[in-house]
Amino acid sequence: MENTTVTKSLFFWMIITSTFVLTSCSGLQSTRMRSQLYTSNCNQQNVYNYTVAEMPKPIHTLTVDTVLAAQLSFKSLNVANAIGVLNLLSDYVAIQKQYKKNPNIENRLTQLEIVQKLNQRINIASLEVSAVSSEMDCEEERTSQIADFLKGKEDETESKLTVGAIVIGATGAIASGLLINKGNTGDYIGLGTGITEATLGMLILRNKRSIEFYHNRNALRDIWEGRPTSSIFPPTVWYYLNYSNPSEPEKVSFRREIIEKWMNFGQIADEKSKKKTQLLELYFGNGGKYSAQELDNRANMYDQLESQINLMKQDLKALSMELENLKI
């Protein structure tokens, strides 16, 4: 009778311990988190609405002033075309020639006016790049924050499961030792302990959480689909990302380069066909259930996109410096 009571007590303790560990691992979202998971404050109403006709024409289809073509690099000419100042640059060359022949005040003022317009347009373009880049950075941080939260919950659950397994194992070992001469009771205790530890071990291995995460405004989708226009990227940036010359197929657009990086580093490739389809719908759709690893992956994709957009500032700087050194 005493052995039966002890056995029941030990099993009751194991059940209580397991239940505590499992129930303490439940519960993921709080009311405050829902706004972060379902909506984003990264976009400050920068919704672009333009047509294909309003996009810059590809530079290889245009006739560029011979002086500009000789003294400015292709990158500078292309970014000048992106921000819509090629004609202004031609006017600058023309007034420079005119001023050289007739250095009067009127020509000098016209020259300074054109320079001011050029610098203003370069500054505005730089601000546009910064605005887009800041949204990409904000989305990256938002995604990373949720990923870190999810990983923290997984680590917390794993710690509790591990502690539970240790407690149950120790309790079972002590009970089996005390009841070693009490018939089969010790064996039953050992069996129960082993089953409970194995269950907790399986739970540790399967400790992968997911969370609902949504993104109706999805810059990654625009990059993946490559439509003629974008509501997220202004015409200057969208032209810059998409430009390529058909006569130079070895030089792909920056947008295509970004996609190839995603694929080469296994972010959207090297998966089974069904899994790959699910990931494409997840990353480039409006959202859904994400694991911590998938959230990290999404944040990295935004980081790569942000870096590529920021490179446009280098071309704007090069254009500005080359203009200062332009000689007629």
Side-chain angles (χ1 to χ4, degrees):
M1 184 67 178
E2 182 181 353
N3 292 343
T4 304
T5 302
V6 172
T7 303
K8 288 181 178 179
S9 299
L10 290 169
F11 271 114
F12 178 75
W13 169 247
M14 290 179 187
I15 292 171
I16 291 296
T17 304
S18 301
T19 303
F20 169 75
V21 170
L22 294 177
T23 55
S24 64
C25 297
S26 63
L28 186 62
Q29 295 185 29
S30 65
T31 305
R32 290 183 178 182
M33 282 190 59
R34 293 185 66 84
S35 61
Q36 293 175 303
L37 296 173
Y38 287 80
T39 58
S40 170
N41 63 351
C42 293
N43 172 43
Q44 303 300 319
Q45 303 302 319
N46 291 321
V47 179
Y48 299 96
N49 184 19
Y50 53 92
T51 64
V52 176
E54 294 173 305
M55 286 281 293
K57 299 294 186 293
I59 192 170
H60 61 267
T61 65
L62 304 176
T63 302
V64 180
D65 187 286
T66 54
V67 174
L68 296 176
Q71 297 198 40
L72 299 184
S73 65
F74 176 78
K75 283 187 176 182
S76 293
L77 288 172
N78 196 35
V79 79
N81 184 43
I83 66 177
V85 297
L86 270 184
N87 291 335
L88 202 57
L89 285 174
S90 297
D91 292 342
Y92 179 68
V93 170
I95 194 61
Q96 285 274 63
K97 292 178 180 178
Q98 190 173 340
Y99 180 75
K100 191 174 182 180
K101 293 179 181 178
N102 187 12
N104 56 33
I105 295 178
E106 183 180 355
N107 287 337
R108 180 57 177 167
L109 289 176
T110 303
Q111 183 184 27
L112 292 175
E113 183 182 358
I114 293 176
V115 170
Q116 185 178 11
K117 288 181 179 179
L118 284 169
N119 288 332
Q120 183 181 23
R121 191 65 193 93
I122 291 173
N123 289 334
I124 291 174
S126 181
L127 289 174
E128 283 185 333
V129 173
S130 296
V132 175
S133 178
S134 65
E135 182 180 347
M136 302 302 106
D137 183 60
C138 179
E139 280 294 337
E140 178 199 347
E141 292 299 325
R142 172 186 175 231
T143 308
S144 294
Q145 189 175 33
I146 301 301
D148 291 341
F149 169 81
L150 201 58
K151 284 185 286 186
K153 287 294 182 181
E154 289 178 352
D155 293 342
E156 181 183 350
T157 299
E158 184 174 341
S159 297
K160 290 178 178 178
L161 290 171
T162 302
V163 170
I166 293 172
V167 170
I168 290 172
T171 303
I174 294 172
S176 298
L178 292 174
L179 301 174
I180 192 171
N181 296 321
K182 303 297 182 179
N184 294 329
T185 303
D187 295 335
Y188 294 146
I189 292 292
L191 179 61
T193 301
I195 292 173
T196 306
E197 285 184 304
T199 301
L200 293 177
M202 287 297 296
L203 290 174
I204 290 174
L205 292 175
R206 297 175 63 85
N207 178 33
K208 297 296 180 184
R209 296 203 175 207
S210 61
I211 194 169
E212 296 280 348
F213 183 74
Y214 291 94
H215 35 73
N216 292 327
R217 182 177 167 90
N218 191 349
L220 300 184
R221 173 171 52 211
D222 283 28
I223 295 296
W224 178 255
E225 294 179 353
R227 295 179 181 179
T229 62
S230 169
S231 62
I232 297 177
F233 301 96
T236 53
V237 176
W238 196 234
Y239 169 84
Y240 178 80
L241 290 174
N242 283 277
Y243 175 77
S244 64
N245 190 339
S247 62
E248 299 177 336
E250 71 282 357
K251 296 180 181 179
V252 298
S253 68
F254 290 130
R255 184 187 67 83
R256 188 64 213 173
E257 193 175 294
I258 292 169
I259 294 175
E260 288 180 357
K261 287 179 181 178
W262 292 345
M263 299 179 71
N264 291 336
F265 289 110
Q267 290 167 297
I268 54 175
D270 299 328
E271 296 281 358
K272 295 180 180 178
S273 57
K274 184 177 180 181
K275 176 65 175 176
K276 183 176 181 180
T277 301
Q278 291 174 347
L279 285 178
L280 293 180
E281 292 176 353
L282 186 65
Y283 291 143
F284 307 124
N286 292 329
K289 278 194 173 183
Y290 276 87
S291 67
Q293 181 180 359
E294 288 165 348
L295 286 169
D296 269 338
N297 196 32
R298 180 177 181 81
N300 289 334
M301 293 164 76
Y302 261 105
D303 184 50
Q304 293 161 5
L305 175 56
E306 178 195 356
S307 298
Q308 187 62 66
I309 292 171
N310 277 329
L311 287 178
M312 187 175 177
K313 282 193 173 183
Q314 293 186 9
D315 290 350
L316 289 171
K317 179 183 177 182
L319 172 62
S320 182
M321 293 179 67
E322 289 179 18
L323 282 177
E324 290 184 4
N325 298 322
L326 190 63
K327 297 179 181 178
I328 307 301

